[in-house]
Amino acid sequence: MTTVLQRTAPPTTAQGWWAKTVAAARYEYLMQVRRPAVWLVVIGLIALRCAAPFPPGFTSTTDQATLVADWAFNFIMLCPIGVGAVLADRVRRESRLGLSDLLTSTPTGIGPRLWGKAIGAGAATITPVAVAWVGLLGHLTAQRGAGVIPVGLAAFAAIILPGLVLVVACSVTVPYLTGPVLYRLGVFGYWIWSNMVGPRYGIPTPAGTPFEAIGEYPSGAWFHGVMFDAKQRGITPTGSEAVLSIAFLLLAALAALVITQLVLTRRSPS
């Protein structure tokens, strides 16, 4: 039992809120990035989407920004479902190992543990996406030149990352209420409904609005990339609307973490 506690309990000796959070994030990152399921599920969904037929002219466009944005759109279509699925059980891991009371009694605190889990485990789960994206940029650089690299980094930050941040924040908070199984079903339904069920189906949905998480607005406004649902709504997004879309996702992620910390703090017996 002592060996299990030493292996699974996050560091608690660091002083200060930020230092404790960094220590917890490092522990969570190392634990999560070593899981084969993280790589298999996330990379598998990216490969599944990228193996699908491409729109006409997709890979032959001479505009580097458009090409990179369309590849980013392919990445973000399915991989957030995998990110949410493999993160969902992190919040229940301590309970399964019987460590909840032990961790509550440590000086780390609820806040650093929660934020450390979001930062560390989230970064680890996004790592396969980043690795696959770097591999793609290497391939495109060999074909199109080094100018692809800065565009690719900007597209990753603007199109892919905000939606993943939202999924990460929800995946380390919502399962406290629903459990991992129900959450996995929920994140699958949410992602399909809010990003792929467009207005043509006659169902109320944020798809094609600034409140979707699939990155159409920054893709269209800054990279002239593909737009499906926004186009169906007759919208040509501006730069300010792209900023609004990204800000909404980041603020929603922040709200999920802050609210969960407040709830857990109130529930804590200490």
Side-chain angles (χ1 to χ4, degrees), residues 113-128:
R113 287 207 311 274
L114 176 64
W115 288 87
K117 192 185 303 293
I119 296 170
T125 312
I126 293 174
T127 294

Side-chain angles (χ1 to χ4, degrees), residues 12-76:
T12 60
T13 57
Q15 299 299 316
W17 190 94
W18 178 244
K20 293 175 182 178
T21 302
V22 170
R26 179 179 180 275
Y27 157 78
E28 291 285 349
Y29 182 89
L30 294 175
M31 288 288 291
Q32 183 78 347
V33 79
R34 296 170 181 170
R35 295 178 60 194
V38 172
W39 293 85
L40 292 174
V41 172
V42 176
I43 295 292
L45 286 175
I46 292 174
L48 178 66
R49 172 55 197 157
C50 291
F54 294 138
F58 169 58
T59 56
S60 62
T61 178
T62 58
D63 189 319
Q64 290 184 346
T66 300
L67 176 67
V68 170
D70 289 352
W71 272 112
F73 195 71
N74 274 303
F75 267 56
I76 197 65

